[in-house]
Amino acid sequence: MVLHSYSQISTQALHFCADQGIGVHFISGGGRYLGSFDGRQGSIQRRIRQYDALSNPEMCLHLARKLVICRGQGQRKFLMRGQRGRAEVPVLLKQAISQMKAVLKQIPLVMSVESLLGVEGNLAALYFGALPHLIAEGVSPQLKFEHRNRRPPRDRFNALLSFGYALLLKDVMNAILTVGLEPALGFYHQPRSQAAPLALDLMEIFRVPLVDMVVLAAVNRGQWDVQADFEERGQQVWLSDTGRRKFVSLYERRRSETWKHPVTEYSLTYRRLIELEVRLLEKEWSDEGGLFAQLILR
């Protein structure tokens, strides 16, 4: 259950959700993830194994490398898709794709999580710097994208990205609790906000297919009303009630689509793939590793 903005829920309803194992997630009106209420704790033995594994710096670095490669390759493949069917590909788009390939080759050589953060930052800068070239020419100037900004978002495109990432974070949190792992103990992100580090780690795999692709497709198809779907408050831009309902509908439709896992070859909905990815992560410290973070666009 997801409560947006100042939606209210009774104590009786919370008791019912706790009894039925239903997570309740709170998201601000602007799409910022605020927190969760969930009674599922999982097996203590399962969490002890997680603590043991993720207390090992070598294991954390190993998993973080896989994660950054997965996200970086997904971003690069998305940009490559933007070249299809174009008579003339922008030079900056070609350069970003080429430079990202070079940066990705550095990742296996990185020897610390701190250094890996710098490499990931380079990949993100190249990706978001090239993303404007994927927006169709006829799109309203008010929906154009120049650079990533957040907390709060200052334009409509970033408002869409932020709201989508909050919905994705909620789904990843739910999957972690369903499997029974501890969301507060991750291997890459450090706790700096209400969002659990392990959820921030795992959502990196799904940012492109579940949010970036949905936002760009809807923008290019002219599905957003620049007035009715957004609210401007000074320099801040948020989705309106109408815009949030529209985004949730688009996101849920995408989440129900199937994707064939490139390694396991299972065809599952994105909803199920998120849970599968949590289970594949757990296998990394259960002597059955090798399948985690392999979901990459083709």
Side-chain angles (χ1 to χ4, degrees), residues 205-232:
I205 297 170
F206 296 94
R207 282 181 187 263
V208 171
L210 272 176
V211 179
D212 297 9
M213 293 178 69
V214 171
V215 169
L216 190 72
V219 166
N220 284 343
R221 290 172 186 158
Q223 292 180 267
W224 299 104
D225 185 317
V226 296
Q227 299 301 327
D229 293 335
F230 300 91
E231 295 178 357
E232 294 186 63

Side-chain angles (χ1 to χ4, degrees), residues 224-292:
W224 299 104
D225 185 317
V226 296
Q227 299 301 327
D229 293 335
F230 300 91
E231 295 178 357
E232 294 186 63
R233 305 171 193 168
Q235 294 184 336
Q236 305 175 19
V237 180
W238 309 104
L239 281 159
S240 65
D241 288 343
T242 302
R244 286 196 293 269
R245 285 195 293 269
K246 185 180 292 184
F247 197 110
V248 169
S249 177
L250 291 169
Y251 178 79
E252 289 298 321
R253 192 180 309 153
R254 178 63 168 172
R255 202 172 61 134
S256 298
E257 293 178 8
T258 58
W259 188 12
K260 186 176 182 179
H261 194 287
V263 180
T264 66
E265 297 191 345
Y266 295 150
S267 289
L268 301 170
T269 63
Y270 283 99
R271 181 186 291 106
R272 294 291 306 280
L273 281 169
I274 294 174
E275 182 180 329
L276 174 63
E277 205 61 33
V278 180
R279 296 187 186 280
L280 293 178
L281 170 64
E282 187 179 24
K283 288 182 179 294
E284 291 290 325
W285 55 76
S286 304
D287 299 323
E288 299 179 70
L291 298 179
F292 173 66

Side-chain angles (χ1 to χ4, degrees), residues 53-90:
L54 300 188
S55 297
N56 182 339
E58 291 184 6
M59 171 62 78
C60 290
L61 179 60
H62 167 70
L63 295 173
R65 283 190 189 126
K66 291 170 73 76
L67 191 72
V68 175
I69 289 173
C70 179
R71 181 184 178 185
Q73 286 185 337
Q75 291 174 328
R76 183 171 178 271
K77 291 288 181 67
F78 186 35
L79 295 180
M80 290 173 68
R81 285 188 177 195
Q83 300 180 109
R84 296 176 185 173
R86 300 178 73 156
E88 186 175 346
V89 179

Side-chain angles (χ1 to χ4, degrees), residues 131-142:
L131 198 58
H133 298 292
L134 271 59
I135 299 175
E137 291 184 4
V139 168
S140 167
Q142 293 173 290

